[in-house]
Amino acid sequence: KPPEEMLEAAERLLEMLGALRETQNTKHETRKEGGEHRRDADAMLEMTEVGRALVGMPVHPRIGRMLLAAAGTNFLAEAVTLGAMLADDSRRGWGDLVAAGMPGHLERMREQLMSVARSLARTRGIAIPRLDRLEELLLVAYPDRVVRRREADPKAGVMADGSGVRVAEEGYTPR
């Protein structure tokens, strides 16, 4: 069995992706302990329609969530390409994914993801906000990696979980 901390982190991610939610009959009460958010022991989680759709997808939930959001939009091809690139473990050192382009060895993965994405057209009854901009694909897949800049120091920020971060000099983009 995985350590409890890993299970809790997975549940938090699935909640942020919209795949799980607390049941109506439990109190949502989280508390911060040692920098981590903890759920009450009696809180129950249930799978959402998004979660049920993700279960049937042979991809990481982040990639699946991105494909769900892009289904039926003009961004589907970009979502499939991004999904293939993000799922590739050899991407270390690529830097900017958009500038890197699609490596040839990922074409088969891209074809497989496109097949998964096409099957989403048959998924009905899932209320998923659609995208207006391409950048939203990454926000949908990585909601836990969103950072809000601090006004006093634009190189410092606050992550979605409340922890603080500093942007490396090479990763800094002025407003």
Side-chain angles (χ1 to χ4, degrees), residues 7-166:
L7 291 173
E8 289 174 3
E11 285 178 348
R12 281 193 307 273
L13 175 60
L14 290 171
E15 277 187 276
M16 291 178 100
L17 293 174
L20 294 176
R21 69 173 165 243
E22 287 198 14
T23 59
Q24 298 296 325
N25 57 358
T26 61
K27 271 196 317 189
H28 179 69
E29 204 168 303
T30 57
R31 57 193 182 284
K32 201 162 186 175
E33 286 181 9
E36 292 187 22
H37 292 277
R38 298 262 180 199
R39 183 187 327 281
D40 282 344
D42 62 347
M44 299 291 292
L45 295 173
E46 66 182 359
M47 194 178 307
T48 65
E49 292 295 321
V50 168
R52 283 188 269 290
L54 291 176
V55 166
M57 300 172 82
V59 296
H60 189 283
R62 290 182 189 277
I63 305 301
R65 185 62 183 87
M66 187 168 45
L67 294 177
L68 276 173
T73 73
N74 293 331
F75 301 120
L76 186 58
E78 287 87 351
V80 167
T81 299
L82 275 173
M85 293 173 77
L86 290 167
D88 182 30
D89 290 334
S90 71
R91 73 180 181 278
R92 293 183 188 355
W94 287 6
D96 184 349
L97 285 179
V98 175
M102 180 72 167
H105 73 279
L106 294 180
E107 192 53 43
R108 177 75 180 127
M109 184 182 298
R110 189 181 181 291
E111 290 171 12
Q112 291 170 340
L113 286 177
M114 186 57 83
S115 175
V116 169
R118 285 189 185 116
S119 74
L120 296 175
R122 294 185 291 275
T123 305
R124 306 220 188 278
I126 300 177
I128 297 175
R130 297 299 176 191
L131 307 172
D132 293 324
R133 297 183 359 213
L134 180 62
E135 296 87 358
E136 293 173 348
L137 285 172
L138 293 173
L139 295 175
V140 165
Y142 293 88
D144 54 327
R145 309 264 173 98
V146 174
V147 175
R148 184 185 44 154
R149 291 182 194 216
R150 295 181 190 231
E151 287 184 33
D153 182 359
K155 293 183 185 178
V158 179
M159 297 288 292
D161 68 359
S163 60
V165 295
R166 290 203 56 77

